[in-house]
Amino acid sequence: MGTIIVFTEHTQNDFKRGTYELLTAAKKSEHAIKVIAVGPGADSLAPKLGAWGVSEAIVCTDDNLKNYNPELYTNLIGGVLEAEKPQFVLASSSMLARDLFPRVAQKIKAGIASDCTELSFSGGNALVRRPMYAGKCTAQVEFSNCETKIILARPNQLPVIAAESNAGTGVNIKSITLPPMDLKTRIKEVVAGASEKLDLTEANIIVAGGRGMKGPEHFKLLEELASTLGATVGASRAVVDAGWVSHSMQVGQTGKTVAPTLYIACAISGAIQHLAGMSGSKVIVAINTDADAPIFRKATYGIVGDAFEVLPALTAEFKALIQ
Ligand SMILES: Cc1cc2nc3c(=O)[nH]c(=O)nc-3n(C[C@H](O)[C@H](O)[C@H](O)COP(=O)(O)OP(=O)(O)OC[C@H]3O[C@@H](n4cnc5c(N)ncnc54)[C@H](O)[C@@H]3O)c2cc1C
């Protein structure tokens, strides 16, 4: 039996869903589970992970960790892993982890498998698969010649099985301090974007728009439906490339992978690269004028119609239902 270390990510109030997915996968193994939780607030959240089978939380709450600095994070996390020598390290394929863990892998000479969508453990081995060519096929990844194996799993792809109890006992909290570092760069200021909506990867309902919306000014139709449903607005790459909305809203192979309960795709054709990011959604509703659009092959419900007529009608219906 070895050790799995899960790199956690959290918001102010809770760990992100991706962290619970990793803990669920780790819990099915025979290995001991530890976590690394960094940043302000990590210490108050860590005790709840006892219910997830976590024996130890290595916590660093230094204010300098509030904003991601690759150099600082690599030194800290690399140092912890060098000392702990776990068999496996699990992290979500978030923007932060995709930047951080290749650096860490290089520093500690670990093997790394990124962007995995299937993960299980068998003895000392991990069974890992990752999609290739926008999901046209999957590759099985095997580790060799490395003591520590780092696995990054796409968020919203693995199941979450609820914790056994909410008691939150039994986690040994090991507080660590930042080692002195001669950093070459420092983050001086982060200016937050205007959106207060939930990030796409965390959203339960997404209303996404494509090129068929014909211009950024028409995205207000999507925003009206989204605010009625408590949803987050997403977009296809065509729309992002046209400069209508920011890249943070892009869903797909080169954008975010999402798996909401409800995904409403408006005037999106359903190119394979878009499907690669949203086909894990539970219910997909497609609105498109073209009855042959590929999105209808993935959709649970399809509306063949003009988004400029369907969206206001849907918004009005939902508003009436809610009142
Ligand atoms: C390497 C690579 C990576 C990529 N990554 C991504 C990615 O991450 N995400 C992504 O989305 N794409 C990605 N793409 C681009 C992808 O191939 C498509 O070009 C893109 O998804 C098309 O966007 P769209 O569906 O909005 O536009 P279009 O394909 O132009 O589709 C517009 C749709 O709107 C419909 N329509 C038009 N008017 C209306 C109306 N009034 N009401 C209703 N429907 C209407 C049309 O029938 C059509 O189906 C990638 C491509 C490459 C090569």
Side-chain angles (χ1 to χ4, degrees):
M1 192 178 87
T3 304
I4 295 178
I5 292 192
V6 175
F7 176 78
T8 65
E9 290 188 49
H10 63 271
T11 58
Q12 267 182 343
N13 308 319
D14 202 351
F15 290 100
K16 293 189 176 177
R17 182 193 151 93
T19 294
Y20 292 117
E21 292 178 13
L22 300 171
L23 289 170
T24 301
K27 217 164 160 233
K28 289 183 197 159
S29 78
E30 58 196 26
H31 303 293
I33 310 172
K34 296 185 181 183
V35 299
I36 300 177
V38 299
D43 50 344
S44 55
L45 292 174
K48 75 182 288 188
L49 296 180
W52 293 80
V54 174
S55 58
E56 183 169 282
I58 301 161
V59 174
C60 187
T61 55
D62 195 294
D63 260 358
N64 290 306
L65 293 162
K66 197 169 159 197
N67 298 315
Y68 174 61
N69 177 325
E71 208 184 345
L72 188 149
Y73 267 66
T74 304
N75 284 336
L76 175 71
I77 307 298
V80 170
L81 297 179
E82 264 167 348
E84 294 283 333
K85 299 197 188 329
Q87 220 158 343
F88 298 101
V89 178
L90 307 184
S92 286
S93 261
S94 62
M95 297 292 230
L96 185 153
R98 274 189 285 180
D99 189 79
L100 170 65
F101 279 98
R103 299 168 193 269
V104 171
Q106 200 282 331
K107 182 176 166 68
I108 66 168
K109 305 292 175 245
I112 182 164
S114 306
D115 209 24
C116 303
T117 50
E118 291 173 46
L119 167 63
S120 59
F121 297 91
S122 166
N125 294 321
L127 306 173
V128 173
R129 294 195 79 87
R130 52 165 307 197
M132 291 176 72
Y133 306 118
K136 283 203 182 79
C137 63
T138 59
Q140 184 175 339
V141 185
E142 218 175 74
F143 292 94
S144 59
N145 302 325
C146 53
E147 190 176 357
T148 296
K149 303 152 188 83
I150 300 175
I151 299 164
L152 305 187
R154 263 195 205 176
N156 299 318
Q157 297 293 303
L158 303 173
V160 175
I161 296 169
E164 271 156 26
S165 77
N166 289 321
T169 53
V171 188
N172 175 37
I173 307 286
K174 184 174 164 185
S175 292
I176 56 169
T177 50
L178 268 186
M181 291 178 213
D182 184 18
L183 295 178
K184 292 171 196 70
T185 54
R186 280 182 199 282
I187 310 291
K188 294 193 75 173
E189 188 192 12
V190 173
V191 181
S195 173
E196 286 169 17
K197 291 277 179 210
L198 206 57
D199 186 81
L200 281 171
T201 55
E202 300 281 310
N204 194 33
I205 306 176
I206 292 173
V207 179
R211 186 156 34 203
M213 293 306 296
K214 298 186 171 57
E217 65 279 15
H218 301 306
F219 263 60
K220 68 175 186 300
L221 293 175
L222 305 169
E223 278 151 19
E224 278 166 13
L225 178 57
S227 76
T228 307
L229 295 175
T232 300
V233 176
S236 70
R237 175 165 162 178
V239 161
V240 173
D241 285 352
W244 297 357
V245 298
S246 76
H247 180 258
S248 63
M249 290 168 68
Q250 185 180 317
V251 174
Q253 185 190 335
T254 44
K256 290 180 176 165
T257 304
V258 299
T261 307
L262 174 62
Y263 188 91
I264 305 179
C266 309
I268 291 177
S269 59
I272 188 151
Q273 296 90 352
H274 188 80
L275 301 180
M278 47 64 80
S279 53
S281 308
K282 281 203 179 62
V283 174
I284 297 171
V285 175
I287 304 165
N288 200 302
T289 43
D290 176 5
D292 295 323
I295 190 76
F296 286 126
R297 293 202 281 273
K298 270 281 167 205
T300 325
Y301 301 101
I303 303 173
V304 179
D306 187 336
F308 294 90
E309 290 167 15
V310 176
L311 280 170
L314 277 180
T315 305
E317 283 295 325
F318 282 122
K319 274 189 178 154
L321 274 175
I322 289 162
Q323 272 161 12

